[in-house]
Amino acid sequence: MSRLLRRASSTLLLAGWIGIATVAQAAEFAPAGLFSSGFGTLTIRTPSTFGASLTCGVAMSGNVSAFTGVHISTVSITGGGYCSLLKPKLSWRMSAYSMTSAWVDDVGFSVTGIPGSNCGPTEIYASWNNATHQLTVFNQALSGNCTLERLDIVLPTLSIVN
C-alpha cells in the first residue's frame, strides 16, 4: 500500500512540475508599452454590402501590459465608398496563443447607413509572423452574418516571446 501511495504522490508531484513549466513558458506579446501599426488592409463581407467583399485600409494602435496583455484602443479605417461607413466597435484585446498564432477578442464593426449592419463582437483566430511582425486573419465569421475575409497588418514593434 505504501508503494502505491509513493507512486501516486510522485506522479502528482511530476504533474505539478509539468504544469508549472507549461505556465512559465506561455507565449505573450512584448515589449510592454505603446504600439502602433503601419497601414494594412481589411476585407469584410456584411449584410450592408449585400455579401460583396469590401476592402479598406486599416491601422491600429494600443498598449501592451504585463498584467492585462494587449489592448487595441484605436482602429482607423480608410478608403472610399462603404469604407467610410465601416466603424470598429472597440474593446479589442489580443493575446498570443503560440509563437505563431494569436486570439483577438471582441472584434466588431458596425456599418452606418441603409441598410446598417452590426458585426461582432466575436473572438477571432490570427496567425503571427515574428520575423515580419505581421498579423494575418483569414475567413473568420463574425456574429451578425458578417465575415472578416482577410486582415493583414504589420505591428513593427511587437513580437511574441516565451
Side-chain angles (χ1 to χ4, degrees):
M1 181 68 152
S2 67
R3 216 156 123 204
L4 180 62
L5 286 174
R6 277 193 304 237
R7 181 174 284 178
S9 65
S10 295
T11 302
L12 288 173
L13 183 59
L14 178 61
W17 280 107
I18 290 171
I20 290 170
T22 301
V23 170
Q25 293 186 11
E28 64 184 10
F29 281 95
L34 298 175
F35 71 89
S36 61
S37 72
F39 276 93
T41 58
L42 162 79
T43 303
I44 190 168
R45 281 184 290 133
T46 73
S48 297
T49 62
F50 303 100
S53 298
L54 173 65
T55 300
C56 306
V58 65
M60 57 182 64
S61 63
N63 188 47
V64 178
S65 166
F67 301 107
T68 60
V70 177
H71 175 74
I72 299 169
S73 55
T74 304
V75 175
S76 301
I77 298 171
T78 59
Y82 272 102
C83 291
S84 64
L85 303 176
L86 186 63
K87 307 295 181 205
K89 295 193 273 184
L90 288 174
S91 68
W92 299 9
R93 298 214 175 265
M94 184 169 65
S95 55
Y97 181 73
S98 70
M99 293 298 291
T100 59
S101 62
W103 292 104
V104 187
D105 295 322
D106 297 326
V107 173
F109 299 91
S110 63
V111 180
T112 57
I114 299 175
S117 296
N118 282 304
C119 306
T122 304
E123 178 181 67
I124 63 171
Y125 174 81
S127 60
W128 176 260
N129 183 318
N130 239 4
T132 61
H133 307 277
Q134 185 165 356
L135 184 74
T136 305
V137 175
F138 292 105
N139 292 322
Q140 297 288 304
L142 302 175
S143 62
N145 201 27
C146 303
T147 301
L148 183 55
E149 290 184 340
R150 187 165 177 113
L151 169 67
D152 280 309
I153 194 158
V154 174
L155 303 163
T157 59
L158 295 186
S159 294
I160 294 180
V161 298
N162 273 334

